[in-house]
Structure formats: C-alpha cells, structure tokens
Amino acid sequence: MTTQATLQDQVGDFVRDVVVAMGLNVTVSSSTDADGVRVEITGDEGELLVRRKGEALDALQHLVNSIFRDQSGRDGRIVVDCLDFRKGKDAELRQMARFVMEKVKTNGVQQEMGPLNPYARRIVHLTVAEDPGLSSESIGDAFLKTVIIAVKRQ
C-alpha cells in the first residue's frame, strides 16, 4: 500500500493533468486528513465541473477512485471537490437523510432514498449509523442504487 503523502501527490498530479487536458485554468491542491486524501479544485473555470448537478465532477471522482483504488486501500477515501460543491451537497444529503430517518422513526415504515451513486450512498449510510435504532441497506445491481432506511430489527 502507498503512503498517504505519496498517494496525495499522485492523486493531486493526476487530477491536475486531467483538468489541464480539459483546458481548464484552475488550481488543484491536495491534502490528507483522517478519512484519506482530499483534492480541492478552485478557480472560475471550475464552474464547468459543477454544471449539470456536478456530472463532470462525479465522472472525475469515479475515474480517480477507479485508478487509485488499489493504492488507497479498503478504508482510504479519496474525495475530489470543486468550489466546495461536494461540501454543500454532502450537507444537503445529510439533512435529507435525517429527515427520512425521522419519518421512519415516526411512522415505523421503511423509506427509500435514491437512486444514489456510491459516494452519496456512503454519506447516507454513515448518517443512518449515527442512530442505533435504525439501519440502512443498499439495493439494486447498477452503479446507482437505492438506500432503504428502516427500524433496526431486534
């Protein structure tokens, strides 16, 4: 397995090369934290990556995850963000998950969220895991799956 510092440099360089190849004039910086490697893309032309609900950013994230999966290890996470788009979306997704969790606790009926990509599903699962009385499960056999939130069975 690659050290976090080396992985940080490799991922940062790769993302920098991709955005340069796309013709974008942006700044790419990478750092490590407790969760793994975080790559931040800033600059006016970064707007192109977050258009259409961040589809280009999601594609770049998927590409980075596919290429660096072996080096990052099972628990190592790599997050590519542009203009704090993911931070905002993550907060919105956590808020929606908490709303659905309250609905499940109130009604006792399982609820669905999705379809969601792997990154979004992870955020939902981690949010649901904060409540010991609830459980979550991904269903589906495609890239986008639905997360079922339910009362935990005893």
Side-chain angles (χ1 to χ4, degrees):
M1 186 175 324
T2 309
T3 66
Q4 286 289 74
T6 306
L7 180 61
Q8 170 191 336
D9 293 338
Q10 290 174 343
V11 173
D13 290 344
F14 175 78
V15 170
R16 195 171 295 105
D17 291 346
V18 170
V19 295
V20 165
M22 293 173 69
L24 300 179
N25 185 16
V26 294
T27 302
V28 176
S29 61
S30 58
S31 61
T32 56
D33 58 23
D35 292 331
V37 175
R38 183 166 190 88
V39 179
E40 298 283 344
I41 302 170
T42 56
D44 292 339
E45 292 184 12
E47 185 72 31
L48 295 171
L49 291 171
V50 297
R51 285 186 184 163
R52 296 177 52 140
K53 299 181 183 177
E55 287 180 356
L57 184 60
D58 284 344
L60 181 57
Q61 177 76 59
H62 182 70
L63 190 61
V64 167
N65 288 346
S66 296
I67 292 170
F68 293 99
R69 180 175 294 124
D70 292 339
Q71 289 106 310
S72 64
R74 178 164 168 74
D75 295 326
R77 302 285 176 209
I78 301 172
V79 176
V80 180
D81 197 1
C82 182
L83 304 174
D84 288 335
F85 179 81
R86 285 216 193 282
K87 284 182 184 176
K89 286 295 180 186
D90 291 358
E92 188 178 306
L93 191 57
R94 283 187 192 94
Q95 183 179 2
M96 179 58 79
R98 287 187 182 103
F99 173 77
V100 172
M101 290 164 60
E102 282 303 315
K103 210 169 165 183
V104 169
K105 287 193 278 190
T106 302
N107 300 336
V109 178
Q110 71 181 23
Q111 299 288 318
E112 295 181 0
M113 283 186 71
L116 302 170
N117 66 36
Y119 180 83
R121 287 195 311 270
R122 180 175 184 270
I123 299 287
V124 171
H125 287 303
L126 289 174
T127 303
V128 173
E130 294 170 2
D131 188 321
L134 298 176
S135 66
S136 61
E137 175 185 8
S138 294
I139 59 168
D141 57 358
F143 178 74
L144 298 176
K145 296 180 183 178
T146 300
V147 176
I148 304 294
I149 300 173
V151 175
K152 193 177 274 185
R153 294 184 202 147
Q154 301 301 339

